[in-house]
Amino acid sequence: MRAHRAHGGVLGQLARLTGPGGHSSKADHLPKPMARLARFAAALDDAAERRRHDGPADMAGTCLNIASFAGGVAYNVVPARAELEWSLRPYPGFDRAGWDAEVAALARAIDPGIEVAPTIDHAPFACAALAPLVERFVRSVGALQYWTEAALWAEAGKDAIVIGPGDIAQAHAADEYVALDDLDWAVGLFRALVRTA
């Protein structure tokens, strides 16, 4: 029963690094893709810490999440490849070009062979135009911390607002539900909006 005029995007990125691999008895003399990407992961986390207070007050920070780290095959084998995946939630107005340049510089400083590519790239969303239309129906108007398809509407040039029944605390779970009172409220809201349109 809240309306949301803005939310962050979703940016997933993947780093890869390869080497010759080999027996761990030669580890002192071989490139170590996993160790290099571990350093890169720490550098990314530090970059996110530096940005914790960037952005609008109700959406500050990047929510950078180091999500996966893969490549090893056995304790006695220096891996020939490693992959690191992370995500962040860029706020509206986020300096994406600046972020990409910082990530590239961090990667080069650790190992010029690190390749970075996006895995998912959903833009942030912001639109205040519809808030006055729904304010009398909702408890509050604010910003969300997760992505919705409202960003696609805005990208297509359409005003959008995120509003509806339910609570994100019950979403994406085995026992996901929407309370009947919330559904009644939503029916009343949508009827009123159709009448005013």
Side-chain angles (χ1 to χ4, degrees):
M1 297 183 186
R2 292 174 172 84
H4 306 281
R5 50 159 178 68
H7 63 62
V10 181
L11 175 61
Q13 295 181 295
L14 177 75
R16 287 190 179 97
L17 183 61
T18 59
H23 194 274
S24 63
S25 64
K26 305 292 184 189
D28 288 346
H29 310 287
L30 290 172
K32 301 172 191 166
M34 293 201 61
R36 300 260 172 95
L37 285 189
R39 290 185 186 97
F40 185 45
L44 289 169
D45 193 59
D46 290 344
E49 277 295 314
R50 290 190 295 275
R51 294 169 176 258
R52 278 191 73 172
H53 303 290
D54 291 2
D58 56 354
M59 301 179 74
T62 62
C63 294
L64 183 129
N65 175 46
I66 301 297
S68 69
F69 193 46
V73 294
Y75 76 92
N76 60 347
V77 177
V78 176
R81 56 178 287 283
E83 289 187 350
L84 170 69
E85 190 167 12
W86 67 95
S87 67
L88 59 147
R89 302 287 179 148
Y91 48 81
F94 179 75
D95 179 8
R96 173 63 188 280
W99 172 256
D100 287 345
E102 183 174 1
V103 168
L106 292 171
R108 274 193 312 274
I110 291 166
D111 191 307
I114 295 174
E115 298 173 358
V116 177
T119 57
I120 188 168
D121 192 353
H122 291 316
F125 156 76
C127 176
L130 299 178
L133 188 63
V134 300
E135 282 175 337
R136 64 189 171 110
F137 298 100
V138 298
R139 295 178 185 152
S140 63
V141 177
L144 287 171
Q145 299 304 318
Y146 52 88
W147 189 86
T148 77
E149 288 81 3
L152 300 177
W153 286 98
E155 202 173 284
K158 305 293 183 189
D159 289 336
I161 194 162
V162 181
I163 187 171
D167 187 319
I168 194 64
Q170 281 91 43
H172 306 312
D175 61 347
E176 181 174 1
Y177 68 91
V178 175
L180 292 176
D181 287 347
D182 283 7
L183 289 174
D184 289 340
W185 165 83
V187 168
L189 164 71
F190 299 144
R191 278 189 179 138
L193 292 176
V194 167
R195 286 187 190 120
T196 60

